Amino acid sequence: MELLRWIMMGLLVIAGHRMLGAQILDFNFVGAGARAAGMGQAFIGVADDATSVIWNPGGLTKLEKPEVSSVMRVDFDVWDWTGPNASWDDLDEEFSHASVNFGSFAWPFDVGEQRLVVAAAYQRQIDFFSNQEDGDYESRGGIVAITPAAAYRITPWLSAGVAANIWTGSPAFKIVDNGTFKGNLEYSGFNVVAGAMVDLDGLQNKVPLKIGAVLRTPFVLKEKDKGDIVGRGDRDMPLMLGFGASYRIGENLTVAADFETRQFGNSKITQDGSEEDLSQSGKNLVQLRAGAEYLLVSDFAVIPFRAGFQTVPTLFADQEWDGSQWVPTNKQVAGTGLTFGSGLIFERFALDAAFMRTSHETKFIDTGKREIVKNVLIFSGIFYF
């Protein structure tokens, strides 16, 4: 009887896994860029390049020259299932996918003794890529934001900025299972990101400390079904609030730390119980990030060395069996991440690369577990005019 229970539970896990298409969508929006990633994504209080459009628009006023940038990432995901029988091991899968997930330009102007910066960016925040090994499920595309932004240096030590995210996207799906059906989901939405940066290096008595704050307004990410695909409904995206600080030690070493909270506990974002996993309803997500950057100055170029650490909160919970289905417990799934990065900085352009490894584990109480390991390579290029 106990073996039969295990088999039934395993079959439901497998069915849910197939329905979701080996895909867990991450609605925990964060920023982009290899430099930020190399520092553990502790960038709210650093934010001094064009990726500030996402991290903290108030930091845009640190730009001295017009610049364009592009970011590419390569994801390698590993799903490791452990359970009481071989059917769980059959769920083990590996995925790899490359995409351009950010592009921007920014142009600074001097207005009297202060500075105004205008910018625009493209960011792919959610990637729907999936391709199961048995070929019965494919998805492509993602949810992107087109983001105009502006920032103004109010005083030598205080800057403020704002960015508008115009959300769009039309991911495509193809499923082969006793016949073929395919279709698209269309997404739309709008929200605002407001940021401020206090740079105490701008005071008369200079202090090499920057303090940043950023607020992302809540919004509804609307979903429209097209073709044979049935989506999961509109997403009620919550308020997100973050704070960060960076401190320069000497001329070459910078340390940084961020605290960010995402108010999912006040949101109505949920996932259907028929899917492979359930959202951790009623829980706010809190993330801590820390990192450092050391600049080695040579006659050839400036060579940065970066490292960082972050907690990885998720919208998911450990699962328990109620006799007919898996239901979430009060135990939120969370993990950790380590990052490393380097690059080359020249007068007219900068090239950066980073490696980020995160992992988290979902437990199916008294039955098994699933570990997801994400290995990400990120490459950035910034060109100055």
Side-chain angles (χ1 to χ4, degrees):
M1 184 64 67
E2 186 68 15
L3 177 60
L4 179 60
R5 183 177 73 92
W6 279 347
I7 293 174
M8 289 178 63
M9 291 190 293
L11 290 174
L12 284 173
V13 169
I14 294 170
H17 176 75
R18 295 304 185 193
M19 290 180 69
L20 187 58
Q23 198 176 54
I24 287 183
L25 303 180
D26 187 359
F27 289 92
N28 303 325
F29 298 153
V30 293
R35 184 182 175 212
M39 297 179 70
Q41 295 186 320
F43 213 65
I44 294 175
V46 178
D48 56 4
D49 60 28
T51 63
S52 303
V53 170
I54 305 178
W55 289 107
N56 180 358
L60 284 169
T61 60
K62 299 302 294 182
L63 273 63
E64 299 289 340
K65 301 176 181 179
E67 65 178 59
V68 296
S69 66
S70 180
V71 179
M72 178 180 179
R73 60 181 286 159
V74 185
D75 291 81
F76 302 90
D77 295 359
V78 178
W79 291 40
D80 184 14
W81 294 77
T82 303
N85 53 60
S87 64
W88 288 68
D89 296 332
D90 291 341
L91 290 172
D92 291 350
E93 292 197 60
E94 298 183 6
F95 306 91
S96 62
H97 175 54
S99 64
V100 176
N101 81 316
F102 182 83
S104 71
F105 80 87
W107 201 287
F109 302 89
D110 288 330
V111 180
E113 296 182 355
Q114 303 307 332
R115 178 166 298 159
L116 171 69
V117 180
V118 295
Y122 160 93
Q123 47 177 312
R124 175 178 284 197
Q125 281 282 6
I126 300 178
D127 199 326
F128 278 79
F129 175 81
S130 182
N131 189 352
Q132 287 189 355
E133 291 180 357
D134 55 17
D136 67 358
Y137 180 95
E138 294 182 4
S139 60
R140 298 287 188 275
I143 302 175
V144 305
I146 307 301
T147 307
Y152 183 68
R153 188 169 62 197
I154 302 169
T155 72
W157 55 271
L158 175 63
S159 298
V162 64
N165 289 321
I166 304 166
W167 296 93
T168 185
S170 184
F173 303 85
K174 180 180 179 181
I175 301 176
V176 180
D177 186 10
N178 296 322
T180 300
F181 67 99
K182 58 185 178 180
N184 296 73
L185 296 175
E186 288 190 352
Y187 289 91
S188 62
F190 177 85
N191 79 315
V192 173
V193 180
M197 183 73 79
V198 174
D199 185 356
L200 300 185
D201 208 26
L203 297 175
Q204 186 173 1
N205 296 321
K206 297 179 181 296
V207 179
L209 172 67
K210 294 197 298 182
I211 301 171
V214 63
L215 181 148
R216 299 178 178 88
T217 62
F219 69 103
V220 176
L221 184 61
K222 297 180 180 179
E223 181 182 270
K224 182 179 179 181
D225 304 336
K226 295 187 68 176
D228 298 318
I229 299 298
V230 178
R232 306 169 192 176
D234 295 346
R235 294 300 204 285
D236 186 10
M237 303 304 299
L239 175 78
M240 299 185 183
L241 183 64
F243 302 92
S246 65
Y247 187 81
R248 192 179 70 253
I249 302 172
E251 294 297 322
N252 300 82
L253 176 63
T254 298
V255 295
D258 283 2
F259 168 88
E260 191 168 51
T261 176
R262 302 153 196 163
Q263 301 295 301
F264 282 99
N266 300 323
S267 137
K268 295 179 181 178
I269 182 170
T270 58
Q271 297 192 28
D272 188 281
S274 65
E275 294 178 2
E276 173 272 339
D277 211 347
L278 297 169
S279 65
Q280 175 59 22
S281 178
K283 292 284 189 178
N284 293 334
L285 302 188
V286 174
Q287 185 176 39
L288 302 176
R289 306 186 289 258
E293 175 185 66
Y294 179 79
L295 301 178
L296 177 64
V297 181
S298 71
D299 294 335
F300 170 65
V302 176
I303 305 172
F305 296 94
R306 307 178 181 112
F309 168 85
Q310 61 184 276
T311 60
V312 182
T314 77
L315 282 172
F316 305 104
D318 287 344
Q319 307 286 299
E320 62 183 355
W321 185 254
D322 71 352
S324 61
Q325 64 179 341
W326 292 104
V327 296
T329 68
N330 289 324
K331 176 65 175 178
Q332 183 182 9
V333 173
T336 57
L338 293 174
T339 65
F340 305 93
S342 187
L344 294 170
I345 304 172
F346 301 94
E347 181 178 357
R348 296 297 300 273
F349 65 94
L351 300 174
D352 294 298
F355 172 76
M356 181 165 57
R357 180 183 177 88
T358 63
S359 64
H360 57 79
E361 181 179 280
T362 300
K363 295 179 181 178
F364 296 83
I365 307 300
D366 298 328
T367 304
K369 63 182 180 179
R370 177 199 64 208
E371 183 183 24
I372 297 180
V373 178
K374 297 181 69 68
N375 299 300
V376 186
L377 288 171
I378 304 173
F379 305 94
S380 296
I382 302 177
F383 300 87
Y384 311 102
F385 295 95

